[in-house]
Amino acid sequence: MSRLASISSNPVLKEFAQGAAQDAIMPVADFLAPTVPVATSVGRYKKYTEKNRFRIPQTLRTLGGRATELRFEAQDQTYNCEPHALDYPVDNLEQLESDGLENMLREGAVAVAEVAALAHEKTVIDAALASMGAGTNKTWNASADPVSDVDDAILGVIRTCGYGSLMGVGVLFGAQAWSIFKNAAAVKNRFVIGGGAKSGVGLAVPTEQSAGQLFVGAPDVRTSYMVFDSAAEGLPANLTFLLDSSVLVFARKANPTRRDPSFMKTFRLMNRYMVPGSYVREDGRAEVAKFDWSEDVQVTNAAAGIRLNIATS
């Protein structure tokens, strides 16, 4: 067994790689589509639609009677944690010259985890936008009340889910939408600036945390600053924000299951995220540290997500 193969099979490196993967998870991806750890790569999950909403079951059992069963129905769907992988080649010359081969693998694990997290975040946001469709246009000018618009969307999501206080709500701003929101007169007027000789001058600036307190139900609020290049390879860059002027309001649980009516989920095999390994490249000049994982991003309740498109005029 080569030194690389021996090190890559070390449980300590496996734990490090999985820790790096957890640290690199983009907050927006985990916010929109929290992870559901599953025991098998293929399984069933509850799929909710406008016609097939969540309903609170009858729990009272008559003497001698059967209990209500929580089961999957024909309209429910199957998740499939498809394989994902990234390779980190280590040249034989590097192995000969370096006494820190394990540190090189740790460096590779961090690099792979960061790139994988970026790819995952784009997958999640793209899936959310595709599910929500064109959305609803809103004009947040000097006479508009953005807080009221978001409140209406939050209440609509809560009604759709029917899951009570167990279900949380997320509000995700695009970069441009957040800039418009925080500078809107109706938003800034809700913040009181402290002052006076004793207290000094306080600067009241809307933040994501404080904005959450403005909305009904005090939802979690985040902003997406992910940028991607939409130009084809070889052409001048065309860098744009993925969400830009959109606001997404959606149902979410921080720790979802296969059954709850959250808007989106990421199914991942338990304890199989970012598993390290190695193989020798076909030219024999390098060994490759490989990192494998499986996941499936699904919109599990499309009706529980609302998109607002924001403009100033």
Side-chain angles (χ1 to χ4, degrees):
M1 178 183 290
S2 68
R3 285 192 300 157
L4 185 61
S6 176
I7 293 173
S8 63
S9 62
N10 189 320
V12 175
L13 180 63
K14 177 181 177 181
E15 183 177 344
F16 177 86
Q18 293 186 346
Q22 291 297 323
D23 292 341
I25 288 178
M26 295 296 161
V28 168
D30 196 52
F31 186 53
L32 255 177
T35 296
V36 180
V38 292
T40 58
S41 59
V42 178
R44 302 276 281 169
Y45 69 90
K46 295 295 290 183
K47 179 79 169 182
Y48 297 97
T49 65
E50 287 282 3
K51 294 183 179 179
N52 180 40
R53 297 184 179 90
F54 172 81
R55 299 184 186 279
I56 300 175
Q58 174 60 258
T59 60
L60 182 64
R61 184 183 70 86
T62 60
L63 290 176
R66 294 179 63 90
T68 300
E69 296 180 348
L70 295 180
R71 59 190 178 190
F72 293 104
E73 309 293 344
Q75 63 268 24
D76 292 327
Q77 301 295 313
T78 300
Y79 68 81
N80 182 4
C81 295
E82 296 181 326
H84 294 253
L86 284 171
D87 288 348
Y88 190 81
V90 180
D91 194 281
N92 288 339
L93 185 60
E94 290 182 293
Q95 295 188 49
L96 289 173
E97 293 179 346
S98 174
D99 293 328
L101 187 55
E102 183 173 345
N103 288 335
M104 293 174 66
L105 286 181
R106 288 173 181 264
E107 180 186 24
V110 172
V112 166
E114 289 177 350
V115 173
L118 285 169
H120 175 61
E121 178 157 311
K122 187 174 188 307
T123 296
V124 169
I125 294 176
D126 285 346
L129 292 176
S131 171
M132 292 181 176
T136 302
N137 296 332
K138 294 290 182 180
T139 301
W140 287 352
N141 53 26
S143 61
D145 187 354
V147 174
S148 178
D149 288 339
V150 175
D151 278 349
D152 289 343
I154 291 171
L155 292 175
V157 164
I158 294 173
R159 278 194 298 267
T160 297
C161 285
Y163 208 66
S165 57
L166 286 175
M167 180 60 65
V169 174
V171 179
L172 179 61
F173 285 86
Q176 182 65 24
W178 173 251
S179 178
I180 295 172
F181 176 84
K182 71 183 291 291
N183 290 298
V187 173
K188 292 194 292 185
N189 290 342
R190 285 179 164 89
F191 288 82
V192 178
I193 300 177
K198 293 183 178 180
S199 61
V201 177
L203 181 62
V205 178
T207 64
E208 294 170 5
Q209 183 177 5
S210 59
Q213 302 302 311
L214 294 177
F215 301 132
V216 62
D220 292 328
V221 177
R222 303 281 175 87
T223 303
S224 170
Y225 293 103
M226 186 171 188
V227 176
F228 79 109
D229 185 0
S230 60
E233 188 173 352
L235 296 178
N238 182 23
L239 299 175
T240 57
F241 291 104
L242 263 182
L243 282 183
D244 201 20
S245 59
S246 293
V247 179
L248 309 186
V249 181
F250 54 95
R252 70 181 300 274
K253 286 189 69 180
N255 298 295
T257 68
R258 288 193 288 159
R259 305 189 63 90
D260 71 78
S262 296
F263 170 60
M264 287 186 75
K265 300 170 187 177
T266 300
F267 298 97
R268 286 197 175 110
L269 279 171
M270 294 179 183
N271 302 318
R272 298 290 296 173
Y273 190 48
M274 206 60 68
V275 179
S278 69
Y279 67 92
V280 178
R281 206 167 61 188
E282 64 276 4
D283 61 9
R285 292 189 176 89
E287 282 190 81
V288 178
K290 64 186 182 75
F291 297 87
D292 293 88
W293 68 98
S294 299
E295 66 185 24
D296 187 14
V297 176
Q298 290 287 346
V299 175
T300 52
N301 188 4
I306 295 174
R307 175 181 180 180
L308 305 178
N309 304 309
I310 310 305
T312 56
S313 59

